[in-house]
Amino acid sequence: MSSLFAAAGRFSVRRRWIVVAVWLVVAVASVRLLPSLAGAVNNNNTQFLPRNAPSNVAARLASPFYGASSNDDAFVVAATRDHSPLDAADLAAITRLSILAARLPRARSARVIEISGDRQAAQIEVRASLSQATNTPDVLFVHELRALFTQVGAPLGLVLHTAGNLAITADQAHQAGGIGARTEYLSIVLIVVLLLGVFRSPLATLATLLPAVVVLLTAEPVVAEVARLGIGISSITQLLLIVLVLGAGTDYGLFLVFRVREELRRGLPHDEAVVRAVERVGPSIAFSAATVIAALLSLLLATFGVYHGLAIPLAIGIVLMVLAGVTLVPALLALLGRALFWPVAPVVGQRSSGAWGRVAGRVVRRPVPALAVGAVVLLSLAGFAFGFRASGFGGGISAPPGSDSAKGEALLVEHFSLASSNPINLVLRYSTPVWDDATPLAAAAASIARSPLYSSLIAPLDPNGTTITPGELVVLHRMLGAPSLLPATQPAHGPAASIGSTAYQAYRATAQVITASGHTVQFLASLRAGSPDSNAAVAEVPAMRANLALARMVSGAAAAGVAGDSPSLYDVRSASEGDLVHLVPVAVLVIGLLLALLLRSLVAPLYLVASVALSYLASLGAAVVAFEVVGGAYGLSFVLPFLMFVFLLALGEDYNILVMSRIREEAHELALREAVVRAIEVTGTTVTSAGLVLAGTFLVFALAGATGTEGTQIREIGIGLAVGVALDTFVVRTVLVPAAVVLLGRWNWWPSALHHRHRTLEATIQVAAASSRVELAVEPPAT
């Protein structure tokens, strides 16, 4: 394998200008020709559930109300500024807006669905046919809808705002672009500061960071294009792509630049030093990337779409980065020549950092105490991991503060029933239309109303606060026809003129809870537990499903289902917990096999994976202490354990691979204890710098993403991963792994040839030591 990387290094050095030009052209073309990643972001966790999830089954049952996806529905809320009743001019403007909205491209229909009970506001429902692959159509449609507000001649006293998940999604996509850009800028600034401190050279800093920036510019549009195939992209995926490419890419650059400096100190010419660095470090970079890619691709087995959606986008970023690592990085190093480390040029014969050699020497001399101290530190933190409580299932459903959708949601809460704002949908389907016999509705309503779960209900026989009897509903349907076809203003002539305005508006309002066919009905409920995306509300889902099952039985319904945020988030929790149980063994097995191939050992992978697993538990425990114990939070993001495990397992092994491959390289020439000291001495600064860069970028991820709608969740993930990387860098790599290597001796390399070689070497050393003791024993005393 080394010969392959040597060939890649020679090609990149000889064709340095071509390699750099090709990468720059690809990056520019990607930015100019492919879509933006921010437009593909979707923060609604419920949209990442599998099709057979109970909440999705219920949503399909409710599809006669909302179409194929309720997220394709936008709402416009019109209200008077001074809280006076809507007048004729207001209603005329609202009607004009609904007519224009229905003519928008991709709009299926638009109608005024409800006048508020206080007569101060109205809701327009706009249904659209939009692609579910990315959020770009959502953003464009909502922008077109809002543009109509200035075209309808609305009176000055009338305000218009959008509401609902479609409008929220559009505003979140706009916000995601700002957060992504802020994460990129802050990460680059942090990395530049750290690299300048490490190298004390602006050109070495440039050569290390620039390839990661070029890859990021290429990867984001490529991932956005791939998202068109139906891969869900959350803001977590977007931000992790930035952090992973910049962090891991800088790490790969560090590995190469430090090795080039080492080879220059040995006296090699600059170009040969670059080729030699690629030859020696290339396999470590490739296997490091392979562990990350393998861990990511194992996520394709996940049922929860947020996890599943991480696999391909992040793997694309790492694949591009490792390609740049063995082509673009060496090409830049060759271009810069001897000026690379200016103004601190390497001196031939200069040794690497002695500080890390002294640390390794202490560990090698007393491996048992070192191993015990490191294990106690990690186990102490790991104990807190068992206090983890899951929360944050709502993801980014809430509107960004100050956005148009946030203002629209506030008007919904102010003027309409809580059940009309983000309700729980209790859906029933009957074999016989309720327009012919509405008595089953009374039985279902009585059963549901007996439940203490709900604080208010919009029911088929009580759609707007006015009660309709089953008999009256049947009569009104015979007189007026389908309620969805009735105008908002009661006609002055015809059958509708013969009934009271209250009865007319009540019957017209049944369109939101009874389908035109009369076969499907729904009860729109608000919960006593609070917001549907709260932990308390999610915990009530089993009781909701049991209550509706009883209503289905007593009313003779053919099918029933609970839809809405709470049941969807309950299914999110179930899918997430199931993925953690099923995918962790797969990731561990795959990465263990890769380590076995690299190290040609069946023993070393066992303690390397175990050390990172212990580091993971310690990191999770540290997050529990920081946010639950000290911060007083109810719990931590439900995705935290899963993401921390996958990323710490993969990224933690990066440093183990670099250190262990260098120990193996040195062990071909030195005794094992000397090989450990030498390997830690030459890789200590590299791994420490890489760990600081990666931990720092995760902290930037936490700080930059904390301002978004998923701020708490992103902050917890970022800090948790930063702590994990720090523990891997300063405890696992510095203490646990060297101590374990020394204690196991030649068994580290079993069953490879190096194991047998060190058995012979150890026997030789023991014979030499015995001979030395004999010589000392027979030496005559000095006279």
Side-chain angles (χ1 to χ4, degrees):
M1 180 175 287
S2 295
S3 60
L4 175 64
F5 286 98
R10 284 192 295 271
F11 174 83
S12 299
V13 169
R14 292 172 183 171
R15 303 287 187 268
R16 60 196 73 177
W17 287 107
I18 295 175
V19 171
V20 172
V22 168
W23 273 102
L24 291 179
V25 168
V26 169
V28 172
S30 298
V31 172
R32 296 293 298 272
L33 302 178
L34 299 180
S36 165
L37 183 59
V41 170
N42 183 355
N43 282 333
N44 190 340
N45 286 333
T46 64
Q47 295 303 297
F48 295 100
L49 284 170
R51 180 176 173 81
N52 62 351
S55 55
N56 278 346
V57 174
R60 289 195 295 275
L61 192 63
S63 61
F65 294 103
Y66 304 110
S69 171
S70 61
N71 290 288
D72 284 353
D73 292 350
F75 296 91
V76 176
V77 185
T80 55
R81 295 181 188 272
D82 58 1
H83 294 86
S84 61
L86 296 168
D87 59 23
D90 296 328
L91 292 173
I94 292 169
T95 301
R96 287 195 297 273
L97 178 58
S98 65
I99 293 172
L100 290 175
R103 296 173 181 170
L104 287 174
R106 298 179 298 278
R108 293 188 290 117
S109 65
R111 60 183 294 270
V112 181
I113 59 170
E114 186 177 359
I115 305 295
S116 65
D118 58 14
R119 307 288 297 175
Q120 298 173 10
Q123 280 191 70
I124 301 174
E125 178 189 59
V126 184
R127 295 185 176 180
S129 297
L130 303 173
S131 169
Q132 296 297 303
T134 72
N135 284 338
T136 302
D138 300 358
V139 175
L140 293 176
F141 184 79
V142 171
H143 178 75
E144 293 168 351
L145 178 60
R146 289 170 178 167
L148 298 179
F149 293 175
T150 60
Q151 301 176 26
V152 296
L156 293 177
L158 187 69
V159 294
L160 301 168
H161 294 294
T162 53
N165 282 348
L166 187 63
I168 292 173
T169 297
D171 287 335
Q172 286 182 339
H174 175 74
Q175 183 189 59
I179 293 174
R182 187 162 59 250
T183 301
E184 289 181 20
Y185 300 149
L186 291 177
S187 296
I188 290 172
V189 169
L190 173 69
I191 293 172
V192 167
V193 171
L194 290 174
L195 292 180
L196 286 173
V198 170
F199 291 124
R200 299 184 180 90
S201 167
L203 294 180
T205 297
L206 176 68
T208 305
L209 177 59
L210 183 59
V213 174
V214 171
V215 168
L216 181 61
L217 292 175
T218 305
E220 287 185 320
V222 170
V223 168
E225 181 65 25
V226 172
R228 295 177 181 270
L229 301 177
I231 298 173
I233 304 292
S234 70
S235 63
I236 292 176
T237 304
Q238 178 198 21
L239 297 181
L240 281 176
L241 178 66
I242 296 170
V243 170
L244 199 59
V245 169
L246 290 179
T250 304
D251 283 1
Y252 299 159
L254 278 166
F255 296 168
L256 282 168
V257 173
F258 272 112
R259 189 59 185 253
V260 168
R261 187 167 69 177
E262 182 183 341
E263 298 299 336
L264 290 174
R265 286 170 173 170
R266 290 179 175 176
L268 284 181
H270 186 82
D271 284 1
E272 290 183 26
V274 174
V275 174
R276 177 76 169 176
V278 177
E279 179 185 4
R280 291 296 189 180
V281 179
S284 297
I285 291 176
F287 272 94
S288 295
T291 60
V292 179
I293 293 169
L296 291 171
L297 293 183
S298 70
L299 299 181
L300 290 174
L301 302 176
T303 57
F304 183 35
V306 168
Y307 301 154
H308 189 278
L310 289 171
I312 299 300
L314 299 188
I316 288 173
I318 294 298
V319 168
L320 290 174
M321 193 62 248
V322 76
L323 289 175
V326 297
T327 56
L328 180 57
V329 174
L332 285 173
L333 297 179
L335 276 176
L336 294 172
R338 297 290 296 184
L340 174 63
F341 294 102
W342 178 88
V344 186
V347 177
V348 176
Q350 181 182 3
R351 288 294 298 266
S352 302
S353 173
W356 287 111
R358 290 191 293 273
V359 171
R362 294 189 182 96
V363 173
V364 164
R365 284 192 299 272
R366 304 186 66 187
V368 174
L371 186 63
V373 170
V376 166
V377 170
L378 295 182
L379 287 171
S380 299
L381 288 172
F384 290 98
F386 297 98
F388 172 83
R389 290 192 299 264
S391 65
F393 298 101
I397 293 174
S398 59
S403 63
D404 185 76
S405 57
K407 296 173 183 177
E409 292 292 316
L411 289 176
L412 279 179
V413 172
E414 180 180 359
H415 293 287
F416 297 90
S417 166
L418 289 176
S420 68
S421 174
N422 199 13
I424 300 299
N425 306 75
L426 310 175
V427 188
L428 295 163
R429 187 174 65 207
Y430 294 94
S431 301
T432 303
V434 297
W435 299 130
D436 299 334
D437 179 11
T439 53
L441 297 179
S447 178
I448 293 172
R450 282 194 291 269
S451 171
L453 296 171
Y454 310 116
S455 59
S456 67
L457 288 167
I458 295 177
L461 296 179
D462 186 5
N464 66 349
T466 301
T467 302
I468 305 174
T469 67
E472 288 171 340
L473 183 67
V474 172
V475 171
L476 287 169
H477 183 263
R478 289 174 182 168
M479 291 177 58
L480 305 178
S484 59
L485 301 179
L486 296 177
T489 302
Q490 185 175 356
H493 305 284
S498 63
I499 62 174
S501 61
T502 301
Y504 176 85
Q505 293 296 344
Y507 176 69
R508 186 178 179 278
T510 61
Q512 63 183 318
V513 288
I514 306 177
T515 59
S517 68
H519 286 285
T520 305
V521 305
Q522 65 176 344
F523 293 75
L524 305 178
S526 60
L527 301 173
R528 296 188 188 278
S531 173
D533 61 357
S534 67
N535 291 298
V538 172
E540 299 285 5
V541 169
M544 295 181 215
R545 288 172 172 165
N547 173 253
L548 186 62
L550 179 61
R552 171 190 176 183
M553 183 182 67
V554 300
S555 66
V562 183
D565 285 348
S566 294
S568 295
L569 297 175
Y570 180 86
D571 292 342
V572 163
R573 181 173 69 182
S574 300
S576 176
E577 291 173 350
D579 286 339
L580 183 63
V581 171
H582 295 119
L583 293 185
V584 163
V586 175
V588 168
L589 179 61
V590 170
I591 290 179
L593 289 174
L594 287 172
L595 288 172
L597 288 173
L598 173 66
L599 301 175
R600 299 170 192 172
S601 166
L602 296 178
V603 176
L606 298 178
Y607 65 79
L608 292 178
V609 171
S611 68
V612 175
L614 181 57
S615 173
Y616 155 72
L617 289 174
S619 305
L620 183 58
V624 170
V625 171
F627 292 104
E628 291 187 21
V629 178
V630 177
Y634 166 82
L636 299 174
S637 171
F638 71 100
V639 302
L640 184 62
F642 189 89
L643 293 182
M644 284 183 66
F645 184 86
V646 170
F647 282 97
L648 292 181
L649 179 66
L651 296 174
E653 295 303 350
D654 270 10
Y655 305 145
N656 281 338
I657 286 172
L658 182 68
V659 172
M660 287 297 294
S661 59
R662 189 56 187 261
I663 291 175
R664 181 182 175 84
E665 179 184 335
E666 299 292 343
H668 282 84
E669 306 294 336
L670 302 172
L672 187 58
R673 289 175 181 264
E674 296 174 14
V676 170
V677 173
R678 177 60 182 160
I680 299 300
E681 183 180 58
V682 296
T683 63
T685 303
T686 306
V687 175
T688 301
S689 302
L692 288 175
V693 166
L694 195 56
T697 52
F698 278 127
L699 284 177
V700 168
F701 168 83
L703 296 174
T707 58
T709 53
E710 291 188 298
T712 300
Q713 182 170 259
I714 289 174
R715 183 169 59 250
E716 291 167 358
I717 294 169
I719 291 176
L721 289 172
V723 170
V725 170
L727 288 174
D728 277 334
T729 303
F730 295 104
V731 178
V732 174
R733 188 269 307 165
T734 305
V735 178
L736 294 186
V737 170
V741 171
V742 172
L743 289 173
L744 287 170
R746 69 177 186 273
W747 292 103
N748 285 286
W749 319 120
W750 184 85
S752 69
L754 191 58
H755 163 73
H756 302 291
R757 180 174 182 175
H758 269 265
R759 181 172 59 185
T760 304
L761 181 59
E762 288 175 7
T764 303
I765 292 172
Q766 290 172 0
V767 170
S771 299
S772 178
R773 287 194 295 272
V774 169
E775 290 176 3
L776 290 174
V778 300
E779 183 179 347
T783 57

